[in-house]
PDB file of all heavy atoms in Angstrom:
ATOM      1  N   ARG A   6     222.409 160.950 -61.131  1.00 91.00           N
ATOM      2  CA  ARG A   6     221.186 160.232 -60.856  1.00 91.00           C
ATOM      3  C   ARG A   6     220.318 160.842 -59.765  1.00 91.00           C
ATOM      4  O   ARG A   6     219.190 161.084 -59.800  1.00 91.00           O
ATOM      5  CB  ARG A   6     221.468 158.721 -60.550  1.00 91.00           C
ATOM      6  CG  ARG A   6     220.230 157.790 -60.637  1.00 91.00           C
ATOM      7  CD  ARG A   6     220.668 156.366 -60.803  1.00 91.00           C
ATOM      8  NE  ARG A   6     219.461 155.682 -60.941  1.00 91.00           N
ATOM      9  CZ  ARG A   6     219.065 154.742 -60.051  1.00 91.00           C
ATOM     10  NH1 ARG A   6     219.686 154.640 -58.904  1.00 91.00           N
ATOM     11  NH2 ARG A   6     217.968 153.996 -60.268  1.00 91.00           N
ATOM     12  N   LEU A  10     216.644 162.633 -59.862  1.00 93.00           N
ATOM     13  CA  LEU A  10     215.498 162.118 -58.994  1.00 93.00           C
ATOM     14  C   LEU A  10     215.073 163.157 -58.144  1.00 93.00           C
ATOM     15  O   LEU A  10     213.708 163.239 -57.953  1.00 93.00           O
ATOM     16  CB  LEU A  10     215.955 160.841 -58.274  1.00 93.00           C
ATOM     17  CG  LEU A  10     216.501 159.560 -59.000  1.00 93.00           C
ATOM     18  CD1 LEU A  10     216.976 158.576 -58.096  1.00 93.00           C
ATOM     19  CD2 LEU A  10     215.280 159.121 -59.865  1.00 93.00           C
ATOM     20  N   ALA A  13     212.972 165.513 -60.247  1.00 93.00           N
ATOM     21  CA  ALA A  13     211.669 164.888 -60.693  1.00 93.00           C
ATOM     22  C   ALA A  13     210.697 164.964 -59.522  1.00 93.00           C
ATOM     23  O   ALA A  13     209.439 165.241 -59.905  1.00 93.00           O
ATOM     24  CB  ALA A  13     211.828 163.318 -60.994  1.00 93.00           C
ATOM     25  N   VAL A  30     205.048 165.834 -57.769  1.00 96.00           N
ATOM     26  CA  VAL A  30     205.263 164.402 -57.967  1.00 96.00           C
ATOM     27  C   VAL A  30     205.782 163.795 -56.647  1.00 96.00           C
ATOM     28  O   VAL A  30     205.311 162.670 -56.322  1.00 96.00           O
ATOM     29  CB  VAL A  30     206.182 164.199 -59.084  1.00 96.00           C
ATOM     30  CG1 VAL A  30     206.624 162.768 -59.159  1.00 96.00           C
ATOM     31  CG2 VAL A  30     205.571 164.555 -60.448  1.00 96.00           C
ATOM     32  N   SER A  34     203.615 160.850 -54.946  1.00 97.00           N
ATOM     33  CA  SER A  34     204.206 159.465 -54.745  1.00 97.00           C
ATOM     34  C   SER A  34     204.278 159.166 -53.247  1.00 97.00           C
ATOM     35  O   SER A  34     204.093 157.932 -52.991  1.00 97.00           O
ATOM     36  CB  SER A  34     205.640 159.472 -55.545  1.00 97.00           C
ATOM     37  OG  SER A  34     205.498 159.879 -56.772  1.00 97.00           O
ATOM     38  N   MET A  37     200.864 158.333 -52.230  1.00 98.00           N
ATOM     39  CA  MET A  37     200.538 156.968 -52.739  1.00 98.00           C
ATOM     40  C   MET A  37     201.101 155.751 -51.942  1.00 98.00           C
ATOM     41  O   MET A  37     200.272 154.735 -51.771  1.00 98.00           O
ATOM     42  CB  MET A  37     200.947 156.948 -54.243  1.00 98.00           C
ATOM     43  CG  MET A  37     200.084 157.710 -55.214  1.00 98.00           C
ATOM     44  SD  MET A  37     200.698 157.485 -56.809  1.00 98.00           S
ATOM     45  CE  MET A  37     200.622 155.789 -57.218  1.00 98.00           C
ATOM     46  N   VAL A  38     202.430 155.895 -51.642  1.00 98.00           N
ATOM     47  CA  VAL A  38     202.971 154.759 -50.897  1.00 98.00           C
ATOM     48  C   VAL A  38     202.378 154.691 -49.471  1.00 98.00           C
ATOM     49  O   VAL A  38     202.155 153.449 -49.030  1.00 98.00           O
ATOM     50  CB  VAL A  38     204.551 155.032 -50.746  1.00 98.00           C
ATOM     51  CG1 VAL A  38     205.089 154.139 -49.724  1.00 98.00           C
ATOM     52  CG2 VAL A  38     205.123 154.788 -52.019  1.00 98.00           C
ATOM     53  N   LEU A  50     208.033 144.921 -52.229  1.00 97.00           N
ATOM     54  CA  LEU A  50     209.047 145.995 -52.508  1.00 97.00           C
ATOM     55  C   LEU A  50     208.962 146.577 -53.953  1.00 97.00           C
ATOM     56  O   LEU A  50     209.087 147.641 -54.254  1.00 97.00           O
ATOM     57  CB  LEU A  50     210.425 145.458 -52.060  1.00 97.00           C
ATOM     58  CG  LEU A  50     211.576 146.560 -52.327  1.00 97.00           C
ATOM     59  CD1 LEU A  50     211.197 147.855 -51.463  1.00 97.00           C
ATOM     60  CD2 LEU A  50     212.839 145.966 -51.837  1.00 97.00           C
ATOM     61  N   ASN A  51     208.770 145.451 -54.822  1.00 97.00           N
ATOM     62  CA  ASN A  51     208.656 145.780 -56.263  1.00 97.00           C
ATOM     63  C   ASN A  51     207.563 146.819 -56.512  1.00 97.00           C
ATOM     64  O   ASN A  51     207.603 147.755 -57.325  1.00 97.00           O
ATOM     65  CB  ASN A  51     208.376 144.484 -57.032  1.00 97.00           C
ATOM     66  CG  ASN A  51     208.557 144.617 -58.478  1.00 97.00           C
ATOM     67  OD1 ASN A  51     209.566 145.172 -58.889  1.00 97.00           O
ATOM     68  ND2 ASN A  51     207.586 144.162 -59.271  1.00 97.00           N
ATOM     69  N   LEU A  52     206.327 146.564 -55.881  1.00 98.00           N
ATOM     70  CA  LEU A  52     205.251 147.466 -55.947  1.00 98.00           C
ATOM     71  C   LEU A  52     205.478 148.881 -55.392  1.00 98.00           C
ATOM     72  O   LEU A  52     205.212 149.951 -55.968  1.00 98.00           O
ATOM     73  CB  LEU A  52     203.996 146.852 -55.559  1.00 98.00           C
ATOM     74  CG  LEU A  52     202.630 147.775 -55.554  1.00 98.00           C
ATOM     75  CD1 LEU A  52     202.399 148.153 -56.973  1.00 98.00           C
ATOM     76  CD2 LEU A  52     201.527 146.932 -54.998  1.00 98.00           C
ATOM     77  N   VAL A  53     206.098 148.883 -54.242  1.00 98.00           N
ATOM     78  CA  VAL A  53     206.340 150.082 -53.507  1.00 98.00           C
ATOM     79  C   VAL A  53     207.264 150.889 -54.513  1.00 98.00           C
ATOM     80  O   VAL A  53     207.098 152.196 -54.666  1.00 98.00           O
ATOM     81  CB  VAL A  53     207.109 149.917 -52.151  1.00 98.00           C
ATOM     82  CG1 VAL A  53     207.537 151.228 -51.592  1.00 98.00           C
ATOM     83  CG2 VAL A  53     206.013 149.304 -51.217  1.00 98.00           C
ATOM     84  N   LYS A  54     208.445 150.283 -55.003  1.00 97.00           N
ATOM     85  CA  LYS A  54     209.266 151.083 -55.886  1.00 97.00           C
ATOM     86  C   LYS A  54     208.511 151.532 -57.096  1.00 97.00           C
ATOM     87  O   LYS A  54     208.718 152.723 -57.539  1.00 97.00           O
ATOM     88  CB  LYS A  54     210.391 150.072 -56.345  1.00 97.00           C
ATOM     89  CG  LYS A  54     211.462 149.835 -55.267  1.00 97.00           C
ATOM     90  CD  LYS A  54     212.489 148.866 -55.860  1.00 97.00           C
ATOM     91  CE  LYS A  54     213.580 148.600 -54.922  1.00 97.00           C
ATOM     92  NZ  LYS A  54     214.666 147.692 -55.599  1.00 97.00           N
ATOM     93  N   ALA A  55     207.664 150.626 -57.641  1.00 97.00           N
ATOM     94  CA  ALA A  55     206.949 151.152 -58.958  1.00 97.00           C
ATOM     95  C   ALA A  55     206.038 152.387 -58.575  1.00 97.00           C
ATOM     96  O   ALA A  55     205.853 153.284 -59.386  1.00 97.00           O
ATOM     97  CB  ALA A  55     206.017 150.079 -59.360  1.00 97.00           C
ATOM     98  N   VAL A  56     205.406 152.296 -57.397  1.00 98.00           N
ATOM     99  CA  VAL A  56     204.601 153.635 -56.961  1.00 98.00           C
ATOM    100  C   VAL A  56     205.590 154.821 -56.821  1.00 98.00           C
ATOM    101  O   VAL A  56     205.182 155.929 -57.370  1.00 98.00           O
ATOM    102  CB  VAL A  56     203.864 153.207 -55.723  1.00 98.00           C
ATOM    103  CG1 VAL A  56     203.260 154.506 -55.000  1.00 98.00           C
ATOM    104  CG2 VAL A  56     202.740 152.224 -55.820  1.00 98.00           C
ATOM    105  N   LEU A  57     206.641 154.651 -56.270  1.00 97.00           N
ATOM    106  CA  LEU A  57     207.595 155.702 -56.079  1.00 97.00           C
ATOM    107  C   LEU A  57     208.083 156.258 -57.521  1.00 97.00           C
ATOM    108  O   LEU A  57     208.333 157.456 -57.656  1.00 97.00           O
ATOM    109  CB  LEU A  57     208.743 155.445 -55.166  1.00 97.00           C
ATOM    110  CG  LEU A  57     208.482 155.313 -53.745  1.00 97.00           C
ATOM    111  CD1 LEU A  57     209.620 154.770 -52.917  1.00 97.00           C
ATOM    112  CD2 LEU A  57     208.149 156.695 -53.141  1.00 97.00           C
ATOM    113  N   TYR A  58     208.311 155.384 -58.416  1.00 96.00           N
ATOM    114  CA  TYR A  58     208.959 155.761 -59.625  1.00 96.00           C
ATOM    115  C   TYR A  58     207.998 156.154 -60.681  1.00 96.00           C
ATOM    116  O   TYR A  58     208.419 156.696 -61.717  1.00 96.00           O
ATOM    117  CB  TYR A  58     209.775 154.539 -60.092  1.00 96.00           C
ATOM    118  CG  TYR A  58     210.947 154.023 -59.295  1.00 96.00           C
ATOM    119  CD1 TYR A  58     211.463 152.783 -59.614  1.00 96.00           C
ATOM    120  CD2 TYR A  58     211.363 154.727 -58.190  1.00 96.00           C
ATOM    121  CE1 TYR A  58     212.412 152.275 -58.806  1.00 96.00           C
ATOM    122  CE2 TYR A  58     212.359 154.122 -57.527  1.00 96.00           C
ATOM    123  CZ  TYR A  58     212.912 152.916 -57.770  1.00 96.00           C
ATOM    124  OH  TYR A  58     213.996 152.428 -57.003  1.00 96.00           O
ATOM    125  N   HIS A  59     206.686 155.847 -60.586  1.00 94.00           N
ATOM    126  CA  HIS A  59     205.795 155.839 -61.775  1.00 94.00           C
ATOM    127  C   HIS A  59     205.611 157.242 -62.450  1.00 94.00           C
ATOM    128  O   HIS A  59     205.458 157.252 -63.734  1.00 94.00           O
ATOM    129  CB  HIS A  59     204.441 155.400 -61.257  1.00 94.00           C
ATOM    130  CG  HIS A  59     203.536 156.443 -60.623  1.00 94.00           C
ATOM    131  ND1 HIS A  59     203.760 156.887 -59.412  1.00 94.00           N
ATOM    132  CD2 HIS A  59     202.524 157.179 -61.054  1.00 94.00           C
ATOM    133  CE1 HIS A  59     202.733 157.709 -59.171  1.00 94.00           C
ATOM    134  NE2 HIS A  59     201.934 157.940 -60.164  1.00 94.00           N
ATOM    135  N   ASP A  60     205.921 158.297 -61.852  1.00 95.00           N
ATOM    136  CA  ASP A  60     205.829 159.574 -62.527  1.00 95.00           C
ATOM    137  C   ASP A  60     207.197 160.332 -62.704  1.00 95.00           C
ATOM    138  O   ASP A  60     207.215 161.484 -63.059  1.00 95.00           O
ATOM    139  CB  ASP A  60     204.894 160.542 -61.643  1.00 95.00           C
ATOM    140  CG  ASP A  60     203.399 160.284 -61.895  1.00 95.00           C
ATOM    141  OD1 ASP A  60     203.004 159.681 -63.077  1.00 95.00           O
ATOM    142  OD2 ASP A  60     202.616 160.685 -61.171  1.00 95.00           O
ATOM    143  N   LEU A  61     208.281 159.540 -62.390  1.00 94.00           N
ATOM    144  CA  LEU A  61     209.663 160.213 -62.419  1.00 94.00           C
ATOM    145  C   LEU A  61     209.930 160.705 -63.866  1.00 94.00           C
ATOM    146  O   LEU A  61     210.786 161.559 -63.959  1.00 94.00           O
ATOM    147  CB  LEU A  61     210.544 159.485 -61.768  1.00 94.00           C
ATOM    148  CG  LEU A  61     210.436 159.279 -60.234  1.00 94.00           C
ATOM    149  CD1 LEU A  61     211.640 158.442 -59.621  1.00 94.00           C
ATOM    150  CD2 LEU A  61     210.421 160.607 -59.587  1.00 94.00           C
ATOM    151  N   GLY A  62     209.361 159.993 -64.863  1.00 93.00           N
ATOM    152  CA  GLY A  62     209.697 160.357 -66.163  1.00 93.00           C
ATOM    153  C   GLY A  62     209.130 161.857 -66.540  1.00 93.00           C
ATOM    154  O   GLY A  62     209.695 162.479 -67.529  1.00 93.00           O
ATOM    155  N   GLU A  63     208.249 162.372 -65.731  1.00 94.00           N
ATOM    156  CA  GLU A  63     207.735 163.668 -65.798  1.00 94.00           C
ATOM    157  C   GLU A  63     208.881 164.702 -65.582  1.00 94.00           C
ATOM    158  O   GLU A  63     208.560 165.877 -65.907  1.00 94.00           O
ATOM    159  CB  GLU A  63     206.502 163.841 -64.989  1.00 94.00           C
ATOM    160  CG  GLU A  63     205.302 163.036 -65.456  1.00 94.00           C
ATOM    161  CD  GLU A  63     204.144 163.185 -64.625  1.00 94.00           C
ATOM    162  OE1 GLU A  63     204.125 163.884 -63.692  1.00 94.00           O
ATOM    163  OE2 GLU A  63     203.108 162.479 -64.916  1.00 94.00           O
ATOM    164  N   GLU A  88     208.238 158.908 -71.543  1.00 92.00           N
ATOM    165  CA  GLU A  88     208.375 158.650 -70.093  1.00 92.00           C
ATOM    166  C   GLU A  88     209.021 157.315 -69.776  1.00 92.00           C
ATOM    167  O   GLU A  88     209.786 157.229 -68.791  1.00 92.00           O
ATOM    168  CB  GLU A  88     207.057 158.973 -69.317  1.00 92.00           C
ATOM    169  CG  GLU A  88     206.612 160.400 -69.259  1.00 92.00           C
ATOM    170  CD  GLU A  88     205.366 160.656 -68.522  1.00 92.00           C
ATOM    171  OE1 GLU A  88     204.988 159.696 -67.829  1.00 92.00           O
ATOM    172  OE2 GLU A  88     204.697 161.698 -68.820  1.00 92.00           O
ATOM    173  N   LEU A  92     212.464 156.533 -67.792  1.00 92.00           N
ATOM    174  CA  LEU A  92     212.672 155.643 -66.670  1.00 92.00           C
ATOM    175  C   LEU A  92     213.804 154.601 -66.905  1.00 92.00           C
ATOM    176  O   LEU A  92     214.544 154.316 -66.097  1.00 92.00           O
ATOM    177  CB  LEU A  92     211.365 154.932 -66.349  1.00 92.00           C
ATOM    178  CG  LEU A  92     210.248 155.723 -65.692  1.00 92.00           C
ATOM    179  CD1 LEU A  92     209.040 154.824 -65.480  1.00 92.00           C
ATOM    180  CD2 LEU A  92     210.693 156.280 -64.366  1.00 92.00           C
ATOM    181  N   LEU A  95     217.044 156.419 -66.307  1.00 91.00           N
ATOM    182  CA  LEU A  95     217.229 156.607 -64.866  1.00 91.00           C
ATOM    183  C   LEU A  95     217.505 155.185 -64.282  1.00 91.00           C
ATOM    184  O   LEU A  95     217.681 155.164 -62.984  1.00 91.00           O
ATOM    185  CB  LEU A  95     216.162 157.452 -64.200  1.00 91.00           C
ATOM    186  CG  LEU A  95     216.058 158.843 -64.547  1.00 91.00           C
ATOM    187  CD1 LEU A  95     214.781 159.428 -64.262  1.00 91.00           C
ATOM    188  CD2 LEU A  95     217.306 159.673 -64.163  1.00 91.00           C
ATOM    189  N   ASP A  96     217.193 154.022 -64.972  1.00 91.00           N
ATOM    190  CA  ASP A  96     217.278 152.760 -64.569  1.00 91.00           C
ATOM    191  C   ASP A  96     216.269 152.474 -63.476  1.00 91.00           C
ATOM    192  O   ASP A  96     216.612 151.945 -62.426  1.00 91.00           O
ATOM    193  CB  ASP A  96     218.766 152.380 -64.017  1.00 91.00           C
ATOM    194  CG  ASP A  96     218.957 150.868 -63.942  1.00 91.00           C
ATOM    195  OD1 ASP A  96     218.339 150.062 -64.617  1.00 91.00           O
ATOM    196  OD2 ASP A  96     219.858 150.514 -63.016  1.00 91.00           O
ATOM    197  N   LEU A  97     215.052 152.922 -63.809  1.00 92.00           N
ATOM    198  CA  LEU A  97     213.999 152.802 -62.799  1.00 92.00           C
ATOM    199  C   LEU A  97     212.745 152.041 -63.261  1.00 92.00           C
ATOM    200  O   LEU A  97     211.753 152.078 -62.568  1.00 92.00           O
ATOM    201  CB  LEU A  97     213.546 154.147 -62.286  1.00 92.00           C
ATOM    202  CG  LEU A  97     214.574 154.989 -61.585  1.00 92.00           C
ATOM    203  CD1 LEU A  97     213.983 156.441 -61.266  1.00 92.00           C
ATOM    204  CD2 LEU A  97     215.081 154.325 -60.369  1.00 92.00           C
ATOM    205  N   ARG A  98     212.864 151.431 -64.497  1.00 90.00           N
ATOM    206  CA  ARG A  98     211.675 150.705 -64.940  1.00 90.00           C
ATOM    207  C   ARG A  98     211.437 149.465 -64.163  1.00 90.00           C
ATOM    208  O   ARG A  98     212.294 148.711 -63.889  1.00 90.00           O
ATOM    209  CB  ARG A  98     211.998 150.312 -66.459  1.00 90.00           C
ATOM    210  CG  ARG A  98     210.899 149.676 -67.110  1.00 90.00           C
ATOM    211  CD  ARG A  98     209.818 150.386 -67.728  1.00 90.00           C
ATOM    212  NE  ARG A  98     210.301 151.079 -68.912  1.00 90.00           N
ATOM    213  CZ  ARG A  98     210.045 150.703 -70.155  1.00 90.00           C
ATOM    214  NH1 ARG A  98     209.116 149.708 -70.390  1.00 90.00           N
ATOM    215  NH2 ARG A  98     210.613 151.308 -71.131  1.00 90.00           N
ATOM    216  N   ILE A  99     210.298 149.298 -63.719  1.00 93.00           N
ATOM    217  CA  ILE A  99     209.854 148.125 -62.936  1.00 93.00           C
ATOM    218  C   ILE A  99     208.750 147.378 -63.631  1.00 93.00           C
ATOM    219  O   ILE A  99     207.777 147.939 -64.082  1.00 93.00           O
ATOM    220  CB  ILE A  99     209.185 148.517 -61.587  1.00 93.00           C
ATOM    221  CG1 ILE A  99     210.153 149.501 -60.651  1.00 93.00           C
ATOM    222  CG2 ILE A  99     208.739 147.498 -60.701  1.00 93.00           C
ATOM    223  CD1 ILE A  99     211.247 148.730 -60.062  1.00 93.00           C
ATOM    224  N   LEU A 109     198.717 149.770 -58.425  1.00 98.00           N
ATOM    225  CA  LEU A 109     199.234 151.011 -58.871  1.00 98.00           C
ATOM    226  C   LEU A 109     198.244 151.897 -59.389  1.00 98.00           C
ATOM    227  O   LEU A 109     198.161 153.108 -58.954  1.00 98.00           O
ATOM    228  CB  LEU A 109     200.333 150.764 -59.959  1.00 98.00           C
ATOM    229  CG  LEU A 109     201.054 152.000 -60.463  1.00 98.00           C
ATOM    230  CD1 LEU A 109     201.761 152.887 -59.414  1.00 98.00           C
ATOM    231  CD2 LEU A 109     202.006 151.702 -61.582  1.00 98.00           C
TER     232      LEU A 109
END
Side-chain angles (χ1 to χ4, degrees):
R6 188 167 189 248
L10 297 176
V30 165
S34 298
M37 282 178 63
V38 168
L50 179 59
N51 195 50
L52 178 55
V53 171
K54 285 180 178 181
V56 168
L57 286 172
Y58 300 167
H59 82 285
D60 279 340
L61 293 181
E63 292 178 4
E88 288 180 18
L92 289 177
L95 296 168
D96 195 25
L97 298 176
R98 179 89 71 106
I99 302 285
L109 176 61

